[in-house]
Amino acid sequence: ASDENSCDNHFLCTDGKQFLPLNQKCDGTIDCKDFSDECNEECSKRIVSGGLYRFFAWFTGSFAVILNSELIICCLKKLATCEKSLQLSNRTMILLINLGDFCVGVYLIAIAVFDTFVFRDTYCIHQFSWLTSLKCALLGSLNTFGSQLSVFSMTSLSVQRVYGIRKNALAQKHATARVKGLLSAQGVFFFLISLSIALIPILSDLEDYFVNGLAYHDSIGLFIGMVDKRMNTNALSAYYGRMKNKVLSWELINEMMYRLFSHEYNLKSGFQRKVHFYGNDGVCLFKYFVEKNDPQRIYVLILLTINMCCFLSISVCYTGIGYAAFKSSKYLAKAAGPTGQVVRQRNKRMQRRIIALIMTDFVCWVPFISICFLHHADVIDARSLYITFSIIFLPINSVINPLLYDDESSMTKALKKISARCNPMGAVRGFITSKSEDSKRVEIHPMQLYIPKPLVKDAIEEKEETNT
């Protein structure tokens, strides 16, 4: 091979034993046994490649953890003092939303830590030790659990708020032991179903549906990188003879490979590792981008469809809430005095919040789900977009939800003060002082549709004064 060393129409692997065509260098497929065709100065990769993605991982993760952890504490304190059924229901669902978003924030910080402090530029060489590791599987499960818990809780909260409008008396009912039991059961159900969705793909009994492939020990030169079931079957067919077109299980493949390599290479067990469901990319995200021949495609497509239905439910519910609020306060909004001004401001504030709720969910899920289905239909290859969606798009709700669903955290209040200073005309008070004899302050939450009686009384008095 010495006569080839001076040629510039090929790539020489670092070990000096392989020559590759130049078009096989940095093509995303590992061809050199030492990975040097993909792990070099020109195309080496990290878990989180790119300074912008690393910034978003640290910033979004830290922000999500700080905001949601504070709100979790606030919700836990207030749950004990909730007396009204609707109030208890809202607080329970908001607590679950915060818990789910907190898990997503922890996932982002953990990914950033492994990228920055553990692997850094050595990830490319050690990528399969990471993709087959328990740590990667647990982080992927944590992210999936948090995302689904948040989605299910947001959907339930929107439906409960619509129900509260239709049954306005529910807002004034005290929380009985039966109501508390039902809410607890609902919370446990969402927790368990989200946990099940996250853990089912890594159960050993279901590995034939969810394991992506095997990564073999470096001493075995027959395979390089991840080897899927088809490649394993072809190798076994070539060694053992015809396999009668039988689909082999991973358990049988492992056993047959052990017999093969323990005899030929004198290796003991453990020379191959399973690339699990979350090991499809360095960010350990749920394998949303599936192809038509993937055995897990039904599971993934069902979950994507459920999430799309959740988004549509949330959008329809909050659109209905906005319309109902406008319709119910139409009379009060026409009042010429301070009561009408406050109601109009409340309506505008509610409209802004509803638009923000729908748009953040839209940006978070709709483009992503659309690309998932386009990938499944072989219209595009979206595998390179895992990092974009896992770091930037999917965690959007984890940061925005605490600002939209709760006003109690110190950081939320600080952000609102900053916003009010930047735009004094946009600052809206959350209460008014009624003209009743006791002059008691009446609170109006941005998502509250029940109009306090003092406001109705004020509007009538103002209208009568105007007519006279």
Side-chain angles (χ1 to χ4, degrees):
S2 59
D3 59 333
E4 298 287 339
N5 291 337
S6 59
C7 297
D8 57 1
N9 62 347
H10 62 258
F11 174 77
L12 176 63
C13 298
T14 303
D15 59 9
K17 298 179 180 180
Q18 287 179 272
F19 290 92
L20 303 176
L22 287 178
N23 60 1
Q24 291 186 4
K25 179 183 178 183
C26 300
D27 64 348
T29 302
I30 300 172
D31 297 296
C32 292
K33 295 179 181 179
D34 58 3
F35 295 12
S36 58
D37 60 319
E38 300 299 324
C39 302
N40 51 65
E41 295 180 356
E42 297 181 27
C43 56
S44 185
K45 60 182 179 180
R46 295 175 54 162
I47 293 179
V48 183
S49 299
L52 180 63
Y53 289 119
R54 285 193 286 274
F55 168 78
F56 268 99
W58 282 109
F59 176 79
T60 306
S62 301
F63 214 67
V65 167
I66 294 172
L67 275 177
N68 287 289
S69 59
E70 184 178 1
L71 286 177
I72 288 173
I73 296 173
C74 291
C75 283
L76 288 174
K77 290 180 179 179
K78 291 191 174 184
L79 276 178
T81 60
C82 287
E83 297 180 355
K84 306 295 184 182
S85 296
L86 190 59
Q87 185 184 27
L88 181 63
S89 173
N90 285 341
R91 283 293 169 190
T92 302
M93 291 301 105
I94 290 174
L95 174 63
L96 293 177
I97 293 171
N98 295 146
L99 178 59
D101 293 337
F102 174 81
C103 292
V104 175
V106 172
Y107 156 82
L108 286 173
I109 292 178
I111 289 293
V113 168
F114 278 105
D115 171 74
T116 305
F117 300 108
V118 179
F119 289 104
R120 294 184 64 85
D121 296 329
T122 65
Y123 167 72
C124 190
I125 298 295
H126 302 290
Q127 57 184 293
F128 288 105
S129 64
W130 168 248
L131 297 177
T132 58
S133 67
L134 179 61
K135 295 185 286 291
C136 179
L138 292 178
L139 284 178
S141 301
L142 179 67
N143 179 58
T144 303
F145 165 75
S147 297
Q148 293 306 132
L149 181 62
S150 181
V151 168
F152 293 150
S153 301
M154 285 191 293
T155 306
S156 176
L157 180 60
S158 64
V159 173
Q160 289 176 13
R161 283 175 167 172
V162 171
Y163 181 77
I165 296 172
R166 295 181 61 85
K167 306 290 184 180
N168 198 23
L170 179 67
Q172 304 306 312
K173 285 186 177 180
H174 285 276
T176 61
R178 179 176 177 273
V179 171
K180 293 179 181 179
L182 290 175
L183 288 174
S184 299
Q186 185 182 26
V188 171
F189 173 75
F190 288 153
F191 187 94
L192 293 179
I193 194 68
S194 301
L195 189 63
S196 299
I197 291 173
L199 295 181
I200 282 176
I202 59 176
L203 295 177
S204 58
D205 292 339
L206 299 175
E207 62 179 13
D208 287 323
Y209 295 99
F210 295 106
V211 169
N212 293 317
L214 297 176
Y216 289 90
H217 192 272
D218 296 340
S219 61
I220 300 176
L222 180 62
F223 300 117
I224 301 174
M226 188 191 76
V227 186
D228 60 18
K229 184 173 286 190
R230 179 184 59 82
M231 296 175 63
N232 277 286
T233 302
N234 291 341
L236 290 172
S237 298
Y239 184 81
Y240 288 104
R242 187 177 178 182
M243 309 297 291
K244 298 182 180 180
N245 295 324
K246 183 179 179 180
V247 179
L248 303 180
S249 66
W250 283 116
E251 183 179 5
L252 183 58
I253 289 175
N254 283 330
E255 182 180 349
M256 296 176 72
M257 284 295 181
Y258 172 73
R259 293 177 182 175
L260 169 62
F261 291 116
S262 62
H263 179 266
E264 296 290 336
Y265 291 84
N266 195 26
L267 293 175
K268 298 181 180 180
S269 60
F271 57 84
Q272 78 272 42
R273 302 183 302 275
K274 298 175 184 177
V275 182
H276 48 71
F277 181 76
Y278 294 101
N280 53 86
D281 191 85
V283 292
C284 304
L285 191 67
F286 188 95
K287 190 179 179 180
Y288 290 106
F289 301 138
V290 291
E291 300 175 357
K292 294 180 180 179
N293 59 345
D294 283 331
Q296 60 266 65
R297 68 187 183 281
I298 301 300
Y299 184 80
V300 174
L301 294 178
I302 289 175
L303 183 62
L304 289 172
T305 303
I306 291 174
N307 288 340
M308 177 60 80
C309 292
C310 288
F311 164 73
L312 293 176
S313 300
I314 293 171
S315 301
V316 170
C317 287
Y318 282 117
T319 301
I321 288 173
Y323 175 76
F326 173 78
K327 186 177 180 180
S328 66
S329 61
K330 189 175 182 180
Y331 176 77
L332 291 176
K334 292 181 179 180
T339 299
Q341 181 181 1
V342 169
V343 173
R344 288 192 295 272
Q345 289 175 339
R346 190 206 67 160
N347 286 345
K348 290 180 181 179
R349 182 170 49 173
M350 180 183 293
Q351 291 172 3
R352 289 195 297 267
R353 183 165 291 202
I354 288 174
I355 291 173
L357 282 167
I358 295 176
M359 288 306 300
T360 52
D361 289 336
F362 178 88
V363 173
C364 183
W365 283 106
V366 174
F368 177 68
I369 293 175
S370 301
I371 289 177
C372 289
F373 280 105
L374 289 174
H375 178 88
H376 179 259
D378 293 329
V379 176
I380 60 174
D381 185 358
R383 287 174 294 182
S384 61
L385 298 178
Y386 269 115
I387 185 172
T388 302
F389 284 106
S390 65
I391 301 297
I392 296 181
F393 285 92
L394 294 181
I396 288 176
N397 276 341
S398 300
V399 175
I400 301 298
N401 283 343
L403 305 178
L404 295 177
Y405 284 100
D406 206 305
D407 301 322
E408 300 300 326
S409 72
S410 58
M411 185 170 291
T412 301
K413 294 177 181 178
L415 290 174
K416 288 192 174 183
K417 287 182 179 179
I418 295 173
S419 176
R421 290 176 182 176
C422 296
N423 183 19
M425 297 302 295
V428 181
R429 294 181 181 179
F431 61 90
I432 69 164
T433 302
S434 72
K435 294 182 179 180
S436 56
E437 295 180 357
D438 57 355
S439 300
K440 187 177 180 181
R441 194 171 73 176
V442 181
E443 294 184 357
I444 307 178
H445 192 273
M447 297 302 295
Q448 178 183 333
L449 300 183
Y450 168 71
I451 307 296
K453 290 182 178 179
L455 294 186
V456 179
K457 181 180 178 182
D458 292 347
I460 296 173
E461 292 177 355
E462 289 166 7
K463 187 173 182 180
E464 291 176 350
E465 292 175 0
T466 304
N467 293 334
T468 56

